[in-house]
Amino acid sequence: MTGQKFGTGASSDLAIHWHGIDWARCYREVRRLQARIVKATQDGKRGKVKALQWLLTHSFSGKALAVRRVTENQGKRTPGVDGITWSTPKSRLEAVSSLKRRGYQPRPLRRIYIPKADGTKMRPLGIPCMVDRAQQALYLLALEPVAETEADPNSYGFRVSRSAADAIEQCFIALGRPECARWILEADIRSCFDEISHDWLVAHIPMDKAILLRWLKAGYLHNHVFHATEAGTPQGGIISPTLMNMTLDGLERMLLSKFRKHVRDASKVNLIRYADDFIITGATKDVLVNEVRPMVEQFLAQRGLSLSPGKTRITHIDEGFNFLGMNVRKYGGKLLIKPARKSIQRFLRKLRGVVKGSAALRQDLLIRVLNPLIRGWANYHSHVVAKQIFSAVGHAIWQCLWRWARRRHPNKGARWVQRKYFWTVGAQRWVFGTTTGKTLSTGKPELLTLYDIASTPIRRHRKIQAVANPFDPQWESYFEARLGNIMADSLKGRTRLIRLWLAQDRACPVCCQMITKSSGWRLFHEIRKIDGGTDAVGNLKMLHPDCHRNARALRHSVVEPAYSL
């Protein structure tokens, strides 16, 4: 199939159709402005930062990317109090032109409650209207470069290219050696999102003050009753995690300014933070009780926050502590990080609930529901000491599925149930699986099996460099190499996909942005199968999921662009 190059049918600032927007140009323009904001922030030129932020938030490219983000994420079908969603290309393009500062007034949030991880309490969640989400996404494009430049080095939550695995690896670095700190302050901030001082945010967050104040004072509706908001930033807002991070940034620098005056630090104070959860290490209990904790409490009080007395405690490394679903503890002087008991129990409770509620579900559908659940939990813990735990969890999963199968056939014997639901695959017996029809290549039935959690490889995570900034051009090659290695690991054993990915220079031909494990991908056929196309590499392109939808909508030929970012 031939056709014009995808995405160049119209200039991005004169686009007449949503699918005609030149996304590569939009990303390039926004990226250029973000890099300039980083440079101005590093030079301390606050006035220039403000001017560049104004340019970005008033640009077509910034507005288009903001609308794209809120209409192609998981909450795209969830409306706010006005009940409006932008589900059509026409409504999305109209939304781009509607994002204006003058006359903008955010609507109250729609308040819902979701259960917390422990299942005993409910977490308040505020859902903004689509236009408010898009405005937040737009201003976040301008605020995030400043936040990343000024962030604490060992802050890992809700930040670009950082993860919980980085925080756990930093725990190993700070606690693993014999001469490392042996006491840990486990800090818990009471209702962090709900109690941040509005006055502090308006005074210290480098963005449009009027817009920020309108968001903070928008209030929320619950059971058709309006409630004013005098403090906090709503959980559910796109910009809220960044505001929370910027509120807590500076805590590490404050501690290091006192305790790291010399190369040899006898206090051994280190902070590791993931969003509002953090730990602080110390050489002695007295250092943490008499010096560190008062400094933390004073820092938080300036921002309207406080530590939770019941959940904040000081622990010895030999007793161990839980952090981000992991248990960190020394056994005979050797530090081992394992999945926490609560995390295991929570996962198995959720899985058993899914299986129990699927008594009438077909086996293949049940496997497709369980596989992402099992694989996701296993991948999260695949960089710690988890091999034995994976085997134990695998056995618990087998027991759960065996009970599910026996309940479906109470009048059948165990051997009959085994032959119907379990297979022998290579050297593995009792593999939960079923056939799902014939494959096009061999004409033989395809066997769909449950993911074997015990086969998950354990690989040490390579921690991100603490000072790396994804918006700084100086770090661009570092992040490309890092994301490329992660992507290559995820494609191990899939030679054709690796060859295709490398042939595209690891980038999506539509938007020219890098294809990574976190971004995901879809395969696009240049010539459709219905028109005689094949699965040969020459007929395939690897696209981002959103770009894949755009390409299918237009059915344009997706060719390599004539320029590169």
Side-chain angles (χ1 to χ4, degrees):
M1 182 178 179
T2 59
Q4 64 182 16
K5 183 170 68 177
F6 182 85
T8 59
S11 176
S12 63
D13 56 346
L14 297 174
I16 58 175
H17 194 276
W18 174 257
H19 295 303
I21 296 176
D22 187 347
W23 293 110
R25 176 182 168 184
C26 290
Y27 278 110
R28 190 167 65 253
E29 291 178 351
V30 169
R31 189 75 175 179
R32 178 178 57 84
L33 286 171
Q34 288 177 328
R36 293 178 64 190
I37 291 173
V38 169
K39 184 66 168 61
T41 304
Q42 292 170 341
D43 295 341
K45 300 178 179 178
R46 291 294 181 180
K48 189 173 182 179
V49 169
K50 186 176 180 180
L52 291 170
Q53 287 179 326
W54 189 95
L55 285 175
L56 200 159
T57 55
H58 287 74
S59 68
F60 178 90
S61 297
K63 294 177 181 180
L65 291 181
V67 172
R68 185 179 190 183
R69 174 172 179 175
V70 301
T71 56
E72 294 177 348
N73 60 14
Q74 291 184 349
K76 61 185 178 182
R77 295 186 180 90
T78 305
V81 294
D82 58 359
I84 296 175
T85 58
W86 298 330
S87 56
T88 64
K90 180 181 178 181
S91 63
R92 295 176 186 181
L93 190 63
E94 291 174 350
V96 174
S97 60
S98 70
L99 296 183
K100 297 179 180 178
R101 184 185 186 279
R102 178 175 295 181
Y104 169 65
Q105 183 63 44
R107 297 195 177 195
L109 289 81
R110 181 164 68 91
R111 173 64 64 91
I112 63 172
Y113 292 88
I114 59 175
K116 290 187 175 182
D118 56 10
T120 59
K121 296 182 179 179
M122 303 296 287
R123 184 187 305 277
L125 193 67
I127 302 177
C129 298
M130 292 296 293
V131 64
D132 297 327
R133 279 180 244 174
Q135 288 278 17
Q136 290 188 19
L138 175 60
Y139 281 87
L140 181 60
L141 289 173
L143 179 62
E144 217 167 14
V146 181
E148 285 293 328
T149 305
E150 298 182 340
D152 284 341
N154 288 304
S155 164
Y156 299 98
F158 300 121
R159 292 183 61 188
V160 180
S161 300
R162 299 187 181 225
S163 65
D166 293 305
I168 294 300
E169 186 63 22
Q170 182 62 26
C171 288
F172 186 86
I173 294 172
L175 299 167
R177 297 187 302 275
E179 66 272 15
C180 288
R182 303 186 65 82
W183 290 91
I184 299 95
L185 170 64
E186 301 176 66
D188 182 270
I189 302 176
R190 182 172 57 193
S191 303
C192 181
F193 278 92
D194 298 330
E195 296 186 5
I196 299 176
S197 168
H198 286 178
D199 293 337
W200 190 94
L201 287 172
V202 173
H204 294 87
I205 300 299
M207 65 168 290
D208 191 313
K209 309 296 184 182
I211 295 294
L212 176 60
L213 188 60
R214 291 173 194 172
W215 286 335
L216 297 176
K217 299 298 184 181
Y220 65 90
L221 287 177
H222 181 57
N223 294 332
H224 305 289
V225 178
F226 176 79
H227 300 267
T229 48
E230 301 300 331
T233 177
Q235 298 186 55
I238 290 176
I239 204 171
S240 295
T242 301
L243 295 179
M244 183 272 300
N245 265 335
M246 297 187 75
T247 302
L248 299 180
D249 281 335
L251 177 58
E252 183 177 6
R253 291 191 294 272
M254 180 192 69
L255 293 172
L256 296 185
S257 66
K258 177 176 181 179
F259 295 103
R260 287 291 182 89
K261 295 180 180 179
H262 306 286
V263 175
R264 292 185 177 274
D265 175 32
S267 63
K268 300 176 182 177
V269 171
N270 297 280
L271 180 139
I272 304 164
R273 180 167 68 85
Y274 188 90
D276 57 340
D277 293 329
F278 63 91
I279 64 167
I280 303 176
T281 66
T284 65
K285 187 175 183 179
D286 289 340
V287 169
L288 296 178
V289 173
N290 299 323
E291 298 184 57
V292 172
R293 181 163 180 169
M295 291 178 64
V296 173
E297 290 176 339
Q298 182 181 4
F299 177 90
L300 295 177
Q302 295 172 355
R303 292 151 174 79
L305 302 172
S306 61
L307 293 175
S308 174
K311 297 181 180 180
T312 301
R313 56 184 181 179
I314 297 176
T315 311
H316 194 273
I317 189 61
D318 291 341
E319 298 176 9
F321 63 96
N322 292 340
F323 185 54
L324 303 179
M326 310 289 181
N327 180 259
V328 184
R329 181 179 175 184
K330 274 190 174 180
Y331 298 82
K334 184 176 182 180
L335 184 71
L336 296 181
I337 304 178
K338 304 178 180 180
R341 185 187 299 268
K342 288 183 179 179
S343 176
I344 300 170
Q345 293 173 344
R346 189 184 309 123
F347 167 69
L348 289 176
R349 185 163 54 245
K350 181 178 181 180
L351 185 138
R352 287 166 180 151
V354 171
V355 174
K356 190 173 181 179
S358 305
L361 202 64
R362 283 202 330 253
Q363 186 182 5
D364 60 322
L365 297 180
L366 177 62
I367 292 175
R368 288 191 169 96
V369 170
L370 294 180
N371 273 351
L373 184 66
I374 299 171
R375 195 185 300 269
W377 190 85
N379 288 341
Y380 182 80
H381 297 89
S382 62
H383 60 280
V384 299
V385 183
K387 201 65 178 178
Q388 292 183 351
I389 291 176
F390 283 168
S391 297
V393 169
H395 181 66
I397 293 173
W398 176 87
Q399 288 179 317
C400 178
L401 293 173
W402 177 252
R403 288 192 295 268
W404 174 85
R406 290 299 303 269
R407 279 197 301 267
R408 288 167 68 93
H409 306 282
N411 299 324
K412 297 291 185 179
R415 189 174 297 276
W416 185 94
V417 173
Q418 176 192 356
R419 287 196 299 265
K420 180 173 178 60
Y421 291 102
F422 296 89
W423 295 70
T424 298
V425 181
Q428 285 187 303
R429 300 180 60 194
W430 292 91
V431 176
F432 190 73
T434 183
T435 54
T436 59
K438 297 181 179 180
T439 60
L440 295 176
S441 57
T442 63
K444 297 180 180 179
E446 181 182 7
L447 181 63
L448 176 67
T449 61
L450 188 75
Y451 176 71
D452 180 19
I453 192 172
S455 67
T456 305
I458 304 298
R459 294 194 180 98
R460 183 77 175 269
H461 178 73
R462 184 178 299 177
K463 192 183 89 68
I464 191 172
Q465 291 190 29
V467 295
N469 186 343
F471 297 99
D472 190 341
Q474 296 180 2
W475 289 95
E476 186 172 359
S477 59
Y478 169 79
F479 280 102
E480 286 182 351
R482 178 177 175 82
L483 294 173
N485 291 334
I486 295 173
M487 181 69 172
D489 286 342
S490 70
L491 293 177
K492 274 188 175 179
R494 306 167 77 176
T495 308
R496 189 178 66 156
L497 283 179
I498 293 179
R499 194 163 67 245
L500 179 61
W501 180 60
L502 293 175
Q504 298 178 185
D505 291 330
R506 305 185 296 181
C508 171
V510 175
C511 64
C512 296
Q513 299 300 296
M514 193 170 181
I515 295 177
T516 64
K517 180 182 178 181
S518 59
S519 71
W521 70 90
R522 296 288 186 273
L523 292 179
F524 179 85
H525 291 78
E526 285 273 27
I527 302 176
R528 297 183 301 177
K529 283 191 172 183
I530 196 172
D531 297 326
T534 66
D535 289 331
V537 173
N539 190 47
L540 294 175
K541 291 294 179 184
M542 185 182 286
L543 310 180
H544 289 129
D546 300 334
C547 297
H548 182 265
R549 281 191 287 270
N550 290 346
R552 286 180 61 87
L554 291 184
R555 288 310 309 175
H556 281 170
S557 175
V558 183
V559 299
E560 298 296 338
Y563 53 83
S564 59
L565 292 176

